[in-house]
């Protein structure tokens, strides 16, 4: 049975992945420090409460168990915070990831799936962003992720660690079966915040800027369903298991939706009143970020099953309105 170590398996994307791997019959061990995740979100396999800064723990973990591959989701993800406190981002997203890779190297674990981000590209220079787009991140968050991608190329060359970097555009939505969803604290992402405004947990949604160079003036993003992201990880893992070389893929649907369009879809799906407050631009937001994901389609056979924004919002709404 394939044994996968999921680092950050108690977080938003990691917890959905743990469930997905469990359903596919894998043995799963989650390592998570619970700084942003929740123990009760880990629905399958073993759980270890620990931190990647703890090299002794990593050495013990990799010497006591055999893993076929590692999936790494544990990172800080707030762009604005990364500008104010870059040390926190380089320490966790870069240094701790190197600790993990070094422990893998010693234990001769040679397959690694890495959560990367559209933020490695910086300001878009084309309507859609493919893998070859220039990589000029404009904040420490994006730089910390790009540095890991660069380290991974070196670790492949020198140590034979094969990796797939998956650059998410806007991960969103929730487990279609309703068991898991987005639980960031604090929440900064658009879709959960809009739905909290619909359910009454928040008074309103702030729209950060209506003066962008887009048809309705609000920012455009490529929202990709969490279940489709999980499937991409699984397909990426299969390529590594079959001996493929290291790769990087951009993951999105190739469809952009504006902030205003997201709010409209949320109004339709929920049937609730959503109060909107126009606010100034948020620093560092590009007007439009849309993926060109043909490489993932061709090389991985990735076909998003939940590409409709309505479906994604429906699943997120079921999570927002769950019994607490
Ligand atoms: N937005 C609002 N109001 C809010 C929250 C967000 O108008 O209350 C807008 C943002 O300005 C942006 C869009 O909604 O235009 C989406 O914002 P999110 O915060 O949901 O997502 P981002 O596009 O900023 O961030 C995502 C990932 C990050 C990653 C980034 C890459 O969540 O981790 O893409 O650029 F770094």
């Amino acid at each position: 049975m394939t044994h996968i170590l999921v680092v950050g398996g108690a977080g938003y994307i990691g917890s959905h992945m743990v469930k997905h791997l469990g359903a596919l019959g894998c043995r799963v061990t989650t390592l998570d420090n619970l700084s942003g995740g929740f123990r009760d979100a880990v629905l399958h396999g073993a759980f270890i409460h620990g931190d990647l800064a703890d090299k002794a723990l990593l050495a013990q973990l990799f010497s006591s168990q055999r893993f076929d591959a590692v999936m790494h989701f544990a990172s800080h993800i707030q762009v604005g915070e990364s500008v104010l406190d870059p040390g926190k981002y380089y320490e966790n997203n870069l240094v701790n990831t190197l600790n993990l890779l070094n422990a893998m190297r010693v234990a001769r674990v040679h397959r690694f799936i890495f959560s990367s981000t559209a933020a490695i590209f910086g300001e878009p220079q084309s309507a859609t962003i493919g893998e070859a787009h220039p990589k000029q991140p404009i904040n420490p968050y994006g730089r910390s992720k790009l540095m890991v991608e660069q380290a991974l190329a070196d670790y492949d060359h020198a140590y034979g660690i094969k990796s797939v970097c998956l650059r998410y555009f806007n991960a969103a939505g929730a487990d279609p079966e309703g068991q898991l969803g987005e639980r960031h604290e604090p929440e900064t992402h658009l879709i959960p915040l809009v739905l909290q405004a619909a359910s009454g947990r928040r008074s309103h949604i702030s729209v950060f800027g209506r003066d962008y160079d887009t048809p309705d003036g609000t920012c455009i993003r490529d929202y990709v369903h969490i279940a489709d992201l999980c499937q991409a990880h699984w397909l990426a893992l299969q390529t590594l298991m079959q001996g493929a070389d290291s790769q990087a893929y951009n993951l999105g649907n190739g469809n952009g939706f504006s902030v205003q369009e997201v709010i409209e879809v949320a109004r339709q799906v929920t049937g609730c009143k959503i109060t909107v407050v126009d606010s100034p631009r948020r620093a560092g937001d590009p007007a439009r970020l849309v993926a060109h994901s043909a490489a993932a389609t061709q090389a991985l056979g990735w076909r998003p099953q939940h590409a409709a924004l309505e479906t994604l919002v429906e699943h997120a709404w079921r999570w927002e309105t769950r019994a607490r």
Side-chain angles (χ1 to χ4, degrees):
M1 188 187 270
T2 310
H3 189 190
I4 314 291
L5 177 65
V6 180
V7 183
Y12 170 44
I13 304 175
S15 63
H16 287 77
M17 192 71 226
V18 168
K19 182 181 169 186
H20 196 74
L21 290 170
L24 288 163
C26 293
R27 180 175 169 209
V28 180
T29 297
T30 290
L31 172 66
D32 199 299
N33 66 6
L34 298 181
S35 63
F38 301 89
R39 175 65 185 89
D40 63 10
V42 182
L43 299 180
H44 177 80
F47 178 79
I48 298 167
H49 185 194
D51 196 289
L52 292 179
D54 187 345
K55 293 185 190 175
L57 171 87
L58 289 175
Q60 199 275 333
L61 176 62
F62 279 96
S63 62
S64 63
Q65 304 196 49
R66 181 73 211 159
F67 299 105
D68 296 290
V70 175
M71 293 187 175
H72 180 30
F73 297 91
S75 72
H76 297 312
I77 58 164
Q78 289 182 42
V79 170
E81 184 188 53
S82 80
V83 176
L84 297 173
D85 190 3
K88 177 175 174 179
Y89 279 69
Y90 290 119
E91 190 69 38
N92 188 44
N93 296 5
L94 176 62
V95 176
N96 285 347
T97 301
L98 296 179
N99 289 344
L100 174 62
L101 289 169
N102 289 332
M104 287 175 58
R105 173 163 67 98
V106 172
R108 300 187 184 284
V109 176
H110 284 155
R111 300 182 193 99
F112 189 69
I113 312 274
F114 179 58
S115 296
S116 190
T117 170
I120 66 163
F121 295 108
E123 283 295 331
Q125 295 177 17
S126 48
T128 58
I129 300 177
E131 284 76 11
H133 186 284
K135 293 161 195 77
Q136 293 161 348
I138 55 172
N139 50 62
Y141 167 67
R143 278 190 280 275
S144 72
K145 292 283 186 175
L146 181 57
M147 286 175 192
V148 172
E149 288 207 13
Q150 291 166 333
L152 283 170
D154 294 333
Y155 273 59
D156 180 357
H157 180 73
Y159 311 129
I161 293 182
K162 300 292 174 195
S163 63
V164 181
C165 297
L166 297 175
R167 298 150 179 170
Y168 315 146
F169 279 63
N170 285 62
D175 171 27
E177 293 169 0
Q179 286 182 289
L180 295 166
E182 202 162 354
R183 265 161 102 182
H184 294 120
E185 281 176 16
E187 189 52 77
T188 60
H189 292 103
L190 179 67
I191 290 178
L193 290 175
V194 168
L195 295 179
Q196 288 176 18
S199 72
R201 277 212 288 156
R202 282 175 199 264
S203 59
H204 65 273
I205 179 71
S206 300
V207 171
F208 297 147
R210 283 196 184 271
D211 56 350
Y212 285 95
D213 184 17
T214 60
D216 66 21
T218 66
C219 287
I220 292 176
R221 293 289 180 273
D222 184 341
Y223 296 91
V224 54
H225 196 292
I226 187 92
D228 290 329
L229 285 184
C230 289
Q231 182 61 8
H233 285 73
W234 174 250
L235 295 169
L237 177 67
Q238 299 315 299
T239 67
L240 292 185
M241 299 297 273
Q242 288 155 13
D245 261 341
S246 296
Q247 285 296 343
Y249 299 105
N250 294 359
L251 297 182
N253 289 308
N255 290 323
F257 291 93
S258 73
V259 171
Q260 186 59 44
E261 286 171 329
V262 169
I263 294 169
E264 289 308 329
V265 167
R267 285 188 173 126
Q268 286 161 25
V269 167
T270 66
C272 295
K273 180 172 168 293
I274 298 173
T275 305
V276 169
V277 173
D278 289 345
S279 304
R281 288 184 177 197
R282 188 173 68 177
D285 277 340
R288 180 186 155 93
L289 276 178
V290 179
H292 183 73
S293 296
T297 307
Q298 279 153 24
L300 300 178
W302 185 55
R303 305 267 184 285
Q305 300 298 304
H306 307 283
L309 186 61
E310 287 76 8
T311 312
L312 187 154
V313 171
E314 260 167 46
H315 292 163
W317 179 238
R318 190 186 313 162
W319 175 250
E320 168 61 20
T321 53
R322 72 196 183 279
R324 284 171 211 277

